Every structure is written in C-alpha cells, then in structure tokens.
C-alpha cells in the first residue's frame, strides 16, 4: 500500500475504471491494499488481496450463522464488521404464514442484497429473480473458516485444482462463502475431514503442488 | 451490544454435531487421533529466561525476572515464585483487556500449583539473607493466540523459561556480612535456578458420550466438550496436581486411565523441553567462548593487571540497595594506575548491547579516570569519556578542582560528550588505552 501504480499526468483523454484496492490521489493512482495488481482489457485495474476479515459487498454469496431472531428479520453473522439482517419474508414463497424457524447457530447460505458502509447489511435467501436457487439452511456437514482469497480461488472457473483432484476420488458437496467460510458435507466423517484439511492447506500452493498434496493425503488414508 | 455480537466467534450447530460424530470413529477434525498432541515448537530467545511455545496454532510466551525482596514472615528462609498471566485481546475476541476472566485466573492457579506444591523449584536456594533478602522469581505469561488448550502451552512455556533463566550471583560482604553485593553478568556468570523436576500439565476433554476422551483440545473442541480435566504429572510418574473444575462427571476408572495417559505424554514433552533447553545452552556457551577469545586478544596489548582491582570493580556494581560501597571504592581507587584503566576498558568492551550497560560502572570508571589524571598530571590526553556526574560522590569533584588546565579541558569535553551514544564512549577508550599502554611502557 502506498505504491504508485500509474502516473496520470502524461495520459489524457483516457478513461480508466478502478476496482477495489486502488485510489486516485490527484494525478497518480496509488494502492490501498496489499495484493496483486490485476488488469483487464481495455481499461480495468484492481488489486486482489486476501485477508481474514470480510467486507460485505452487494451480490456476494456468503455463509452466515443465525445469532438471533426478531419479529421481522433474523440477525445473521457473516464475519463482517456488523451483524446482517435477513428479512423473515426473503424466502421463495415466503409469506407471514410460513415463516421459517431457525434456531440459534443454524448455518445459512445467503446472498447479500445491500451493503452500505455504516449500515447493517441486508441479506436474502432468494436470488435476484425470487427463486430459491440453493440458498437456505445447510444441514449436517462441517464448516471451517479461511481467508477471502482462498474462497475466491475455490470459486474460480476453471475449477480450482484442489477441488478437481479431490472430486476425482471422493464424492462430497461443498458450499463456499465469499466471506471466508466453507462448508463441506460427505457421506462419512473421514471424507469430510480429508476434504476440509486439503482445502485449508491449499492456499499458498500452486496448481501442481495442490494435486501432489491431495494425492499424498489420499494415500495416507487408503 | 451489537458490536460485541458482531465480534464474537461463533460455531454453527452443524460443527457441534460433526465433531461428536467424528469422535465416535476416533477421528478428530484436524486429522489427529484422540490421544495425539498437536505439533509442539519451543523457541528460546537469546536472552535468558524467555520462551515462546507454539502448540498447533496456540501461541504463548513466558518471561522470567527476579528481584531481591523481603521474604514472607512465616518463611524467612525461602524465596518466592509468582505467576502472572496476561490474556491479550489479540488472542481471542472474548478476552477483554483489563478484566481477567475465570479461565485466566484458573490458568494461573493451575500452573502455580503445579510448580509450588510439587516443590519443582528449590526456593530455599533463593535465600540470600535469612529474614531480610530473598530472590523473588516472577513468571509473566502472555497469551498471544488462543487455538485451544492454553493451560498446557502456558505450562510448557513457563517451564522452558524457568529452565533457561539465570539469576545474578550475589555474595555477602561488608563488615558484618550483612551487605549484599550483586554481581553483574559480565563479572560473574549468572547461575541457573535449581529445578528438581518438570511438572507437565496435560488437559483432557470429556464429551456427552461417556467413552469419548481427547487430549489437547482445539478451540472448536473446547466449545463442544462438556467437561475438562488437567492433570499435572512429571516424568517420574508423580502426580503434581489435578484440576477438574465443574463440567460433566466422570467415573474413577476414567480418571485413572487419564493419569496413565498423562504420564506417557509427560515423558514425551519433558524430553522435548530438555532438548530445546540443551540446544539453547550450547549456543550460550558458544557465545561466551567468542566473547572471551576477544578479551584475550585485548589483554595482550594491555599492561599487567591484578585480579584484586577486578574484584574491587565487582563490588561497585550495585542494584536497588542502599549501601555505602561506592564511597569505600572511591577511597580504594584513589591510587590508580594506567593498568587499571586498561582493564576497565577490557571489561567495558564486553558490554555487548545497551541492556547490559551499567550506569554505575560508568561512574566508577570515570572516577578512576579522574583520579588517575590527578595523579599523572598533564601528560594524560585530554579526551574524556561521557560523564555521569549526577551519581558521583564527593571526592572526585574535589580532585578535579585542584587539577591542572588539561583536566579542565577534559571536563568541558566530557560535558559536551554527554549527549553521545555508547559507541562514541567506547571509541575514545580504545585510543586512550593505546596511549596509556604506550605511556606505561615508557
């Protein structure tokens, strides 16, 4: 942070779109967060960083834990600076008559609708068109926390190498929240544990290293 | 209220169920077996008496200091050992800065009991003057990261730091043997504490299912478990302390089983601690050899030095005690020679970092200097070291006043030098030493 990325004084009539992590200070563009600088043609720049804290943004899919329930919304913890509100009616076909009952500690896969600074974020269990689309409570399985960079890597396309290698040998289902939470479920506990540990170890490894690591883990078990 | 809600760490009910289910098949979330410890790393700093322990992700640091104090009334022959814990808020969102939680107090008590009741540290050897002065050992434990099982990690850190701690040697002197002289590390090697055995704490976690038992719980397992027990045993198989504060009841057979397990674990951990301490001691010895070899080189170019002067210098280094030593030494050192000066400089060269720099010794040396200047007259070079005039007793100023003009120049130069660093103070000494030795040869 603080490094100057682009000097604008000698560029005129260009429009540049700045993403997260960059800021314009008079004539220069300087970096606000530590990470890798990414550039996408024709004119988009942003900094990709990875941290343990999550800053809520709209249209993020995250994993939240129910903290409390009020009359008109549930209080859900999404690892951000403020507790988020999930309106009681924000479910597919949700009316006052069929309000779901979540007990404290339920794990939910939700979508962030509004995330303004200073206000509590708002969530929803439907996608933009109102359909359920896999959002809602997650049953069984095991959830662990990771960095935001790792969750982005797990969600990238083409499939992340570690998930690819694990998927070839084991069968499991996985839900990744952009807030640094990952939920894994498999038929037997050992499988779940292997998947969880493989993912936790894979953050700093390259693609080839990830595959080697997964193979070693699987060999140890079998 | 909402801020605190947002900051606490939460566990979903899925995890609670999963951990118990996995334990039914003898599997823990990080891949361990129920009776495995996490990876233990002990780091001992260069300084004596400081240790950093990593037990998996749990990170604890301990530091030992000693002070001379009055003993307790009912135990005039024994020193004292006290443990202080600091639960830093960076370790866990539930730790609050100024308010020690129950767990914090319990941790301190468990470690304290393990060391005190089992008499692991020999407190009688800490007595200096019966009834008046004893060494009081204080162990400060800082929790830096809480990933479960703080008691074990803190215990290991405390033991490792106590094993590497060295207290300054002190001797009795003075007319009636009532005055204590504390020798700084440069003059007499500090001595280690006498530790008879190492009590190792092993924590067990119990779950709602009777047959489930884990050792070294992680913070997730700590949330799920319904009861915990800490057994402090040493490698000889003696049980030093057992702590079971509330929680689920367990049967007697389970407790006996736990004690046996704790014994095996304790032997493992004891070997690890001793290995780490041995490596540290070897490094220490190597460092000392390097220091002494440099001193031998310097000695060769110096003049003949009597050990008697060295001992006089020893006595002059005092700490926190109101004694009359200083004035005595002023009188003794009124008959100096250049040789004594060079020995001072030799010992000064050893003053490695600022932490071992002793202002009192500075005072003595400058006094020596002035006294020697007085006796030598104007032939002595006018370069003066930094002056610690505040601590100077009565005699040298009088001497200085009667000196000739070069000495006055030296004084003013000294006053100008006061703002300089230790390095500047060291450099002129080298020049002076060579000149003095050349003078003495003449």
């Amino acid at each position: 942070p603080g490094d100057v990325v682009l000097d604008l004084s000698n560029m005129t009539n260009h429009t540049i779109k700045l993403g997260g992590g960059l800021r314009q200070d008079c004539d220069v563009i300087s970096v606000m967060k530590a990470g890798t600088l990414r550039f996408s043609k024709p004119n988009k720049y942003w900094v990709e960083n990875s941290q343990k804290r999550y800053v809520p943004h709209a249209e993020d899919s995250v994993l939240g834990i129910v903290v409390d329930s009020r009359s008109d919304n549930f209080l859900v913890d999404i690892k951000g600076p403020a507790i988020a509100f999930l309106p009681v009616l924000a479910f597919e076909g949700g009316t006052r008559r069929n309000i779901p009952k979540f007990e404290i500690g339920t794990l939910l896969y939700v979508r962030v609708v509004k995330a303004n600074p200073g206000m509590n974020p708002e969530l929803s269990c439907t996608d933009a068109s109102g359909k359920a689309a896999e959002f809602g409570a997650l049953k069984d399985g095991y959830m662990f926390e990771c960095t935001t960079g790792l969750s982005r890597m797990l969600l990238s396309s083409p499939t992340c190498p570690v998930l690819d290698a694990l998927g070839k040998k084991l069968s499991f289902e996985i839900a990744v929240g952009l807030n640094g939470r990952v939920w894994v479920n498999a038929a037997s506990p050992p499988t779940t544990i292997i998947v969880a540990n493989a993912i936790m170890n894979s953050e700093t490894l390259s693609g080839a290293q990830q595959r080697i690591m997964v193979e070693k883990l699987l060999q140890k078990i079998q | 209220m909402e801020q605190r809600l947002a900051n606490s760490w939460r566990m979903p009910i899925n995890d609670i169920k999963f951990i118990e289910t996995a334990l039914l098949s003898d599997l823990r979330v990080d891949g361990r077996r129920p009776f495995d410890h996490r990876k233990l790393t002990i780091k001992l700093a260069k300084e004596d008496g400081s240790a950093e322990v990593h037990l998996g992700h749990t990170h604890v640091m301990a530091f030992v200091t000693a002070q001379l104090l009055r003993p307790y009334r009912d135990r005039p022959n024994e020193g004292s050992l006290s443990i202080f814990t600091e639960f830093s808020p960076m370790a866990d969102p539930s730790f609050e800065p100024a308010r020690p939680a129950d767990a914090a107090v319990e941790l301190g008590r468990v470690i304290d009991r393990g060391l005190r009741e089992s008499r692991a540290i020999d407190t009688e050897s800490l007595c200096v003057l019966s009834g008046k002065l004893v060494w009081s050992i204080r162990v400060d434990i800082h929790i830096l990261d809480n990933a479960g099982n703080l008691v074990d990690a803190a215990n290991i850190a405390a033991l490792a730091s106590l094993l590497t701690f060295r207290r300054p040697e002190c001797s009795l002197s003075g007319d009636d043997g009532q005055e204590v002289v504390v020798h700084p590390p440069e003059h007499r090697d500090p001595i280690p504490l006498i530790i008879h055995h190492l009590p190792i704490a092993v924590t067990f976690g119990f779950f709602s299912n009777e047959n489930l038992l884990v050792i070294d719980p992680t913070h997730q397992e700590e949330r799920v478990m319904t009861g915990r027990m800490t057994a402090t045993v040493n490698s000889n198989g003696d049980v030093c302390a057992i702590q079971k504060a509330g929680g689920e009841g367990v049967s007697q057979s389970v407790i006996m089983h736990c004690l046996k397990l704790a014994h095996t674990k304790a032997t493992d951990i004891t070997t690890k601690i001793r290995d780490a301490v041995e490596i540290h001691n070897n490094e220490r010895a190597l460092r000392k050899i390097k220091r002494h070899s440099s001193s031998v080189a310097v000695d060769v170019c110096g003049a003949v030095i009597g050990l008697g002067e060295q001992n006089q210098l020893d006595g002059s280094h005092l700490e926190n005690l109101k004694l009359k030593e200083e004035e005595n030494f002023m009188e003794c050192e009124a008959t100096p020679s250049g040789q004594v000066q060079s020995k001072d400089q030799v010992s000064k060269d050893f003053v490695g970092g600022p932490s071992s720099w002793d202002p009192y010794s500075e005072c003595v040396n400058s006094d020596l200097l002035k006294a020697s200047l007085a006796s030598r007259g104007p032939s002595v070079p006018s370069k003066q070291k930094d002056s610690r005039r505040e601590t100077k007793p009565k005699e040298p100023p009088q001497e200085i006043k009667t000196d000739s003009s070069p000495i006055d120049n030296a004084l003013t130069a000294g006053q100008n030098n006061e703002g300089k660093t230790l390095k500047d103070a060291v450099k002129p000494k080298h020049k002076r030493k060579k000149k003095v030795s050349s003078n003495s040869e003449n």
Side-chain angles (χ1 to χ4, degrees):
Chain A
D3 285 353
V4 168
V5 165
L6 210 55
D7 197 359
L8 294 174
S9 46
N10 47 5
M11 287 167 72
T12 47
N13 287 347
H14 287 219
T15 29
I16 302 177
K17 293 197 182 164
L18 296 179
L22 292 172
R23 197 176 79 156
Q24 183 178 12
D25 279 326
C26 306
D27 260 351
V28 297
I29 301 191
S30 47
V31 178
M32 291 295 123
K33 286 195 181 222
T36 43
L37 180 66
R38 294 242 182 264
F39 167 66
S40 144
K41 289 195 180 161
N43 55 359
K44 297 197 185 116
Y45 293 88
W46 73 95
V47 175
E48 259 182 27
N49 77 329
S50 169
Q51 52 188 40
K52 285 191 181 170
R53 291 195 147 274
Y54 168 62
V55 177
H57 289 291
E59 300 307 316
D60 277 355
S61 313
V62 294
L63 262 68
I65 300 181
V66 176
V67 170
D68 200 6
S69 59
R70 300 267 168 83
S71 57
D72 55 345
N73 47 28
F74 297 103
L75 301 184
V76 179
D77 162 46
I78 54 174
K79 252 176 102 170
I83 297 264
F85 295 150
L86 170 63
V88 151
L89 301 173
F91 296 86
E92 185 178 359
T95 61
R96 275 273 149 200
R97 285 171 188 257
N98 53 356
I99 297 177
K101 290 195 197 55
F102 294 134
E103 56 177 60
I104 296 184
T106 315
L107 189 63
L108 303 171
Y109 185 60
V110 291
R111 175 178 67 98
V112 178
V113 172
K114 267 198 276 186
N116 297 327
M119 278 170 49
N120 299 69
E122 265 191 36
L123 309 172
S124 165
C125 266
T126 69
D127 63 7
S129 64
K131 300 272 190 259
E134 312 291 340
F135 291 114
L138 295 167
K139 256 193 69 179
D140 298 332
Y142 172 64
M143 182 213 79
F144 59 93
E145 306 205 337
C146 63
T147 59
T148 51
L150 180 60
S151 30
R152 277 200 298 270
M153 184 179 81
L154 290 171
L155 288 172
S156 61
S157 63
T159 326
C160 167
V162 70
L163 290 177
D164 202 26
L166 285 169
K168 288 206 183 104
K169 301 280 176 59
L170 308 165
S171 74
F172 57 94
E173 60 174 318
I174 180 172
V176 180
L178 282 163
N179 56 345
R181 284 193 176 140
V182 180
W183 173 85
V184 184
N185 191 11
S188 64
T191 322
T192 322
I193 293 176
I194 295 173
V195 173
N197 283 321
I199 295 176
M200 280 197 261
N201 293 340
S202 66
E203 171 148 20
T204 47
L205 303 177
S206 72
Q209 285 173 326
Q210 284 175 13
R211 286 181 214 275
I212 298 174
M213 185 251 314
V214 169
E215 271 171 35
K216 271 201 233 157
L217 257 182
L218 290 171
Q219 269 169 14
K220 249 202 279 181
I221 307 302
Q222 272 118 26
Chain B
M1 201 272 277
E2 259 195 25
Q3 196 56 35
R4 207 178 307 159
L5 267 183
N7 281 342
S8 41
W9 174 72
R10 287 193 177 80
M11 221 165 102
I13 42 184
N14 315 42
D15 279 9
I16 300 177
K17 274 193 234 152
F18 180 73
I19 288 179
E20 296 219 331
T21 335
L23 272 174
L24 283 172
S25 35
D26 265 0
L27 206 50
R28 288 164 84 170
V29 166
D30 46 359
R32 283 187 285 160
R33 313 261 344 182
F35 300 145
D36 285 343
H37 265 277
R38 286 172 286 182
K39 181 158 160 244
L40 172 66
T41 327
I42 304 176
K43 266 192 262 184
L44 296 165
K46 217 162 64 149
E47 255 179 33
D48 294 329
S50 147
E52 218 179 287
V53 168
H54 288 262
L55 184 63
H57 284 291
T58 302
H59 192 174
V60 175
M61 192 162 134
F63 197 71
V64 179
T65 43
Q67 236 192 336
L68 279 172
L69 289 179
R70 268 187 175 273
Y72 290 117
R73 288 266 173 93
D74 51 345
R75 275 194 282 258
N77 283 338
E78 289 182 11
S80 71
L81 171 73
S82 40
I83 312 251
F84 290 86
T85 57
E86 226 178 87
F87 274 55
S88 160
M90 72 173 161
D92 191 293
S94 61
F95 292 166
E96 284 169 32
R99 224 184 311 162
D102 285 343
V105 175
E106 199 184 319
L107 183 128
R109 280 291 299 142
V110 167
I111 299 180
D112 187 66
R113 210 182 323 139
L115 289 170
R116 198 192 298 271
E117 302 289 322
S118 61
R119 305 201 160 264
I121 312 274
D122 184 16
T123 44
E124 297 205 349
S125 63
L126 297 174
C127 176
V128 177
L129 271 181
S130 170
K132 294 217 189 114
L133 284 174
V134 295
W135 284 108
S136 165
I137 309 282
R138 178 192 161 119
V139 183
D140 283 288
I141 300 180
H142 292 263
I143 312 287
L144 299 174
D145 201 355
N146 178 16
N149 201 4
L150 288 173
V151 180
D152 288 11
N155 191 314
I156 296 174
L159 287 172
S161 53
L162 282 167
L163 279 170
T164 56
F165 174 66
R166 304 262 182 277
R167 64 171 174 89
E169 190 178 331
C170 53
S171 49
L172 298 172
S173 74
D175 306 326
D176 50 351
Q178 287 298 309
E179 281 156 11
V180 177
V181 161
V182 178
H183 305 285
E186 299 91 47
H187 294 270
R188 294 261 185 95
D189 269 344
I191 43 187
L193 299 173
I194 299 180
I195 301 181
H196 298 297
H197 62 94
L198 292 178
I200 309 276
V202 181
T203 305
F204 297 87
F206 307 114
F207 295 83
S208 47
N209 186 323
E210 287 238 335
N211 304 330
L212 297 178
L213 181 67
V214 293
I215 289 188
D216 189 17
T218 58
H219 63 305
Q220 282 179 326
E221 288 163 351
E222 281 186 345
R223 274 286 178 101
V224 178
M225 65 195 196
T226 50
R228 61 152 64 210
M229 184 177 90
T230 305
T232 312
V233 285
N234 67 10
S235 46
N236 300 336
D238 309 321
V239 175
C240 307
I242 299 185
Q243 169 92 358
K244 185 181 188 311
E248 180 137 337
V250 286
S251 62
Q252 182 208 22
S253 52
V254 172
I255 296 192
M256 294 311 293
H257 182 48
C258 290
L259 290 178
K260 285 197 203 102
L261 280 169
H263 176 48
T264 12
K265 294 292 164 189
T267 24
D268 285 335
I269 298 181
T270 311
T271 22
K272 283 205 193 122
I273 299 182
R274 291 227 187 258
D275 288 340
V277 170
E278 211 180 286
I279 296 175
H280 171 85
N281 286 340
N282 291 343
E283 283 176 7
R284 214 168 157 274
L286 279 174
R287 255 181 283 137
K288 250 206 302 184
I289 292 171
K290 276 195 210 149
R291 240 203 293 163
H292 280 308
S293 60
S294 69
S295 88
V296 166
V298 167
D299 256 68
V300 165
C301 62
V304 171
I305 293 148
L307 270 176
E309 273 110 297
Q310 174 71 345
N311 287 339
Q312 283 181 350
L313 275 175
D314 284 348
S316 67
H317 300 285
L318 311 171
E319 294 177 15
N320 310 348
L321 301 170
K322 297 181 194 144
L323 298 172
K324 309 159 263 173
E325 241 67 3
E326 256 184 287
E327 296 164 45
N328 295 339
F329 281 108
M330 288 312 113
E331 286 156 359
C332 301
E333 283 147 11
T335 57
S337 56
Q339 288 82 350
V340 178
Q341 238 172 31
S342 59
K343 179 61 179 172
D344 296 345
Q345 284 141 11
V346 163
S347 61
K348 266 289 150 239
D349 289 343
F350 293 154
V351 177
S355 59
S356 42
W357 178 67
D358 195 348
Y360 286 104
S361 62
E362 281 290 300
C363 160
V364 168
N365 287 330
S366 48
D367 291 335
L368 272 176
L369 240 41
K370 290 186 186 73
S372 73
L373 290 176
S375 63
R376 290 182 144 272
S379 64
V380 173
S382 60
K383 262 268 188 80
Q384 176 62 286
K385 274 191 298 180
D386 54 324
S387 46
R388 299 283 143 184
R389 280 153 208 292
E390 318 82 66
T391 54
K392 204 174 299 303
K394 347 113 188 176
E395 293 179 17
Q398 294 165 356
E399 278 178 73
I400 288 163
K401 281 181 196 143
T402 57
D403 277 348
S404 49
S405 49
I407 312 301
D408 291 334
N409 291 341
L411 278 181
T412 49
Q415 274 167 343
N416 292 339
N417 287 352
E418 211 177 296
K420 288 194 182 175
T421 62
L422 182 64
K423 272 219 165 148
D424 294 332
V426 169
K427 277 192 205 147
K429 270 181 264 174
H430 284 299
K431 290 192 194 150
R432 151 151 305 143
K433 181 171 43 77
K434 289 191 191 127
K435 283 189 186 157
V436 162
S437 56
S438 63
N439 280 340
S440 62
E441 279 159 35
N442 296 344

